[in-house]
């Protein structure tokens, strides 16, 4: 369950043989011991704007980190994380197992961002690497020498990274292993470690509840669906009514009979990225014991072809009683989410946020740089946007104009699961909105959930997008 690439973080009273120094300018070089002979040479280099470089020292290795001077908080912190990812690369190429991070800065946010960059960039998914190709990273432990950073800060960062790694692991695990049922089992195991509870509704219960969207998408599968209810309810919770996180849990999306064309199907193991983010967030929140009552709802199934699978033109009845004409079986995410959003009504929630790899339309707009949001309470989303800037999972907001509601009108049923040619991410949100009766935010993470290439700490494969955003938002808004 625990990923071995997660670095341990401790506080220390002195630098180690291998040390990483966060400096503001050349004056800070005076405090670094063991590099006396090289000081003049190093001083020349640190005139550069944004840099990481390593020099051999009397003790071993010294790495100097100097972040960019940047007024805007989101770019400033991201530059620090990016430098952290570079530091991690150097440490690994030198086969360093343990290092000390040194910072004398008063503001701890830059230092914590560098540490976060180091930790997040050390992630590996080695489950299917054998023999010589199974090469774990060397770095196991980072000791932090900085009066401004507390043990609590480090524990918090560690737990959020653990939640992010759990989400990445779930996304990276292929569907041949991670069926809906297997995923539910693994959520349960993680819940026991982190402290949240997991209740799994099986096919029989899902049928009793008449979750027509989840059952409809599951019709073509040989694996049963699951509906997962995760909960963190501490005694000291500050909110009276729960915050609910809903995650799309399509463990694989072939498109069904509206089958995905060649290049579009591979990587669709990422289609449970929203659900993975919800599990990761609950794990981070409960491990850090945030005083907030949070519930996670994850409808899980794969979307496949079979004699029994849905075909375009079918009409299904959702849990809410609304009928849906299915015109494209590849627009399955909204069908499974709709039942979960309806299910959420019984909790009388303070706020519901859903996360989903919902549309190619969103991915084409945001790329991996951000998240496409729609909400019916735009006055309440400022704090979420601020979190997005802080953790660099930035939010782009789209309106749900009345005209977009027209696009999902059906000739034969109450609504259809397909909109017009434009605004695909908005018509999808408009569809979901029909199943809500509470303050609601929809986050389409189709862009950032999965990387095709390595970029800083966002490595090829699942990114865990959404975990750090949700943690930061819930902490700053409700804890
Ligand atoms: N899972 C996909 C969306 C997706 C695309 C996620 C790219 C990640 C990366 C979703 O189920 C889908 O296929 N959506 C269709 C909807 C359309 C048929 C209305 C799409 O966006 O093409
Ligand atoms: Zn699809
Ligand atoms: Zn999908």
């Amino acid at each position: 369950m625990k990923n071995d690439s997660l670095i341990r973080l401790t506080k220390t009273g002195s630098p180690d043989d291998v040390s990483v120094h966060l400096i503001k300018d050349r004056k800070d070089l005076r405090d670094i011991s063991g590099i006396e002979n090289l000081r003049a040479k190093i001083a020349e280099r640190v005139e550069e704007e944004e840099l990481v470089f390593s020099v051999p020292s009397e003790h071993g290795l010294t790495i100097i980190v100097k972040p960019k001077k940047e007024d805007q908080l989101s770019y400033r912190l991201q530059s620090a994380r990016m430098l952290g990812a570079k530091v991690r690369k150097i440490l690994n190429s030198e086969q360093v197992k343990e290092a000390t991070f040194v910072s004398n800065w008063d503001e701890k946010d830059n230092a914590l961002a560098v540490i976060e960059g180091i930790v997040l960039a050390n992630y590996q998914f080695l489950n299917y690497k054998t023999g010589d190709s199974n090469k774990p990273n060397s770095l196991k432990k980072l000791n932090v020498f900085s009066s401004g950073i507390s043990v609590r800060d480090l524990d918090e960062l560690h737990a959020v990274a653990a939640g992010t790694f759990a989400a990445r692991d779930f996304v990276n695990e292929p569907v041949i292993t991670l069926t809906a049922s297997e995923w539910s089992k693994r959520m349960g195991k993680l819940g026991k470690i982190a402290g949240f509870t997991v209740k799994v509704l099986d096919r029989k219960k899902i049928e009793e509840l008449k979750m027509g969207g989840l059952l409809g998408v599951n019709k073509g599968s040989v694996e049963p669906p699951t509906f997962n209810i995760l909960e963190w309810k501490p005694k000291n919770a500050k909110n009276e009514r729960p915050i609910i996180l809903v995650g799309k849990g399509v463990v694989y999306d072939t498109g069904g009979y509206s089958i995905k064309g060649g290049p579009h199907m591979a990587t669709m193991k990422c289609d449970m990225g929203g659900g993975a983010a919800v599990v990761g967030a609950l794990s981070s929140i409960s491990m850090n014991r945030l005083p907030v009552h949070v519930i996670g709802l994850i409808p899980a199934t794969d979307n496949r072809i079979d004699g029994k699978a849905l075909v375009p033109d079918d009409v299904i009845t959702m849990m809410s009683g609304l009928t849906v004409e299915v015109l494209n079986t590849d627009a399955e995410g909204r069908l499974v989410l709709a039942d979960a959003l309806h299910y959420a009504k019984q909790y009388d929630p303070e706020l519901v946020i859903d996360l989903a790899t919902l549309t190619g339309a969103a991915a084409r707009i945001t790329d991996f740089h951000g998240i496409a949001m729609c909400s019916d309470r735009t006055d309440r989303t400022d704090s979420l946007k601020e979190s997005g800037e802080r953790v660099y999972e930035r939010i782009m907001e789209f309106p749900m104009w009345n005209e977009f509601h027209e696009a999902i009108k059906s000739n034969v049923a109450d609504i259809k699961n397909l909109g017009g040619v434009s605004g695909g991410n908005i018509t999808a949100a408009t569809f979901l909105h029909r199943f809500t009766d509470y303050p609601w935010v929809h986050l389409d993470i189709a862009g950032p959930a999965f990387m095709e290439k390595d970029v800083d700490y966002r490595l090829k494969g699942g990114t865990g997008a959404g975990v750090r955003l949700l943690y930061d938002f819930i902490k700053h808004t409700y804890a």
Side-chain angles (χ1 to χ4, degrees):
M1 184 63 21
K2 203 178 135 286
N3 190 305
D4 289 335
S5 54
L6 188 63
I7 298 168
R8 275 178 55 211
L9 300 172
T10 62
K11 271 203 62 126
T12 182
S14 60
D16 210 332
D17 297 347
V18 177
S19 54
V20 180
H21 296 260
L22 180 65
I23 65 162
K24 255 192 194 128
D25 47 43
R26 59 196 298 175
K27 285 198 292 278
D28 290 343
L29 291 175
R30 283 192 305 241
D31 307 328
I32 306 176
S33 74
I35 54 164
E36 283 74 12
N37 305 335
L38 294 164
R39 194 159 288 151
K41 264 203 140 58
I42 295 169
E44 276 170 32
R45 286 216 50 192
V46 298
E47 290 308 316
E48 284 169 40
E49 246 292 285
E50 178 185 31
L51 84 169
V52 172
F53 68 97
S54 59
V55 289
S57 74
E58 282 164 24
H59 325 290
L61 184 72
T62 295
I63 301 176
I64 312 276
V65 183
K66 186 182 160 217
K68 204 169 168 180
K69 284 205 177 61
E70 178 59 78
D71 294 335
Q72 219 173 306
L73 175 102
S74 62
Y75 290 128
R76 175 164 63 82
L77 295 180
Q78 188 63 2
S79 150
R81 286 183 202 103
M82 197 189 78
L83 295 179
K86 286 189 179 160
V87 168
R88 206 283 318 165
K89 212 172 197 164
I90 297 172
L91 292 172
N92 197 52
S93 66
E94 298 290 335
Q95 286 298 298
V96 173
K97 291 196 183 82
E98 184 171 344
T100 308
F101 176 85
V102 186
S103 165
N104 304 321
W105 288 26
D106 297 333
E107 314 91 341
K108 64 180 173 184
D109 61 351
N110 272 321
L112 283 169
V114 176
I115 297 171
E116 187 173 45
I118 297 174
V119 172
L120 292 177
N122 202 50
Y123 175 82
Q124 284 182 298
F125 182 73
L126 294 175
N127 291 11
Y128 302 102
K129 295 279 193 187
T130 67
D132 286 347
S133 69
N134 186 326
K135 279 201 203 76
N137 290 330
S138 61
L139 190 65
K140 304 289 174 213
K141 193 167 173 232
L142 192 67
N143 307 308
V144 177
F145 181 45
S146 169
S147 55
I149 296 176
S150 65
V151 170
R152 171 87 194 97
D153 291 329
L154 296 176
D155 287 349
E156 181 176 34
L157 196 160
H158 191 266
V160 176
T164 306
F165 281 20
R168 289 180 181 182
D169 282 349
F170 286 144
V171 169
N172 290 333
E173 194 66 69
V175 68
I176 191 170
T177 304
L178 202 76
T179 58
S181 310
E182 176 60 25
W183 189 21
S184 295
K185 267 191 215 153
R186 293 189 189 192
M187 285 184 210
K189 278 190 195 156
L190 183 61
K192 288 218 169 70
I193 298 167
F196 61 90
T197 62
V198 179
K199 185 173 169 198
V200 183
L201 309 186
D202 62 8
R203 191 208 305 262
K204 192 162 159 278
K205 188 75 193 154
I206 293 167
E207 281 168 354
E208 276 167 30
L209 289 170
K210 299 195 168 64
M211 291 187 164
L214 179 55
L215 290 165
V217 174
N218 182 255
K219 270 174 76 69
S221 178
V222 290
E223 296 287 339
T226 63
F227 188 89
N228 306 278
I229 305 164
L230 288 53
E231 187 164 22
W232 166 246
K233 192 179 186 184
K235 289 207 173 68
N236 58 347
K238 293 197 177 153
N239 52 333
E240 254 165 47
R241 297 183 298 150
I243 312 300
I244 301 191
L245 308 175
V246 176
K248 172 177 173 182
V250 173
V251 289
Y252 199 82
D253 184 11
T254 66
Y257 274 101
S258 313
I259 194 164
K260 285 186 182 293
H264 303 294
M265 197 185 299
T267 76
M268 277 304 141
K269 63 177 182 179
C270 80
D271 217 16
M272 28 66 78
V278 169
V279 190
L282 262 117
S283 166
S284 308
I285 290 164
S286 56
M287 275 180 98
N288 282 321
R289 314 197 70 75
L290 290 190
V292 187
H293 181 198
V294 185
I295 293 172
L297 301 177
I298 304 169
T301 178
D302 50 359
N303 182 26
R304 287 200 196 224
I305 295 178
D306 174 79
K308 287 190 179 142
L310 288 178
V311 292
D313 288 340
D314 274 341
V315 175
I316 57 176
T317 303
M318 310 295 278
M319 186 185 180
S320 74
L322 220 58
T323 57
V324 175
E325 181 186 13
V326 177
L327 284 179
N328 190 317
T329 62
D330 197 11
E332 84 299 338
R334 64 199 75 183
L335 302 177
V336 304
L337 283 172
D339 285 337
L341 290 171
H342 176 75
Y343 191 86
K345 291 174 185 166
Q346 66 189 279
Y347 296 101
D348 186 22
E350 160 88 28
L351 175 68
V352 176
I353 305 177
D354 79 70
L355 291 94
T357 47
L358 203 60
T359 64
R364 283 189 293 276
I365 298 166
T366 64
D367 201 344
F368 64 86
H369 308 297
I371 296 171
M373 177 181 84
C374 284
S375 174
D376 60 348
R377 309 288 162 107
T378 46
D379 55 326
R380 289 182 55 165
T381 51
D382 285 354
S383 164
L384 188 62
K385 286 184 196 158
E386 280 167 26
S387 291
E389 297 293 324
R390 254 196 310 269
V391 305
Y392 218 66
E393 294 187 355
R394 293 163 300 174
I395 289 169
M396 203 188 270
E397 183 169 359
F398 292 84
M400 290 194 295
W401 290 329
N402 285 345
E403 288 78 357
F404 284 102
H405 290 261
E406 296 293 319
I408 57 167
K409 279 195 175 149
S410 161
N411 280 337
V412 297
D414 297 332
I415 48 174
K416 58 182 169 144
N417 78 334
L418 195 60
V421 280
S422 42
N425 58 313
I426 302 176
T427 44
T430 305
F431 180 98
L432 297 178
H433 189 236
R434 295 291 297 269
F435 298 88
T436 65
D437 69 355
Y438 38 64
W440 165 74
V441 179
H442 162 64
L443 300 175
D444 195 329
I445 59 168
F450 197 88
M451 296 293 286
E452 306 270 358
K453 56 176 193 278
D454 290 344
V455 177
D456 49 58
Y457 59 85
R458 292 164 291 183
L459 309 168
K460 243 181 245 155
T463 57
V467 175
R468 291 165 53 248
L469 174 71
L470 291 172
Y471 180 82
D472 189 274
F473 169 68
I474 289 176
K475 176 183 164 182
H476 283 95
T477 317
Y478 300 102

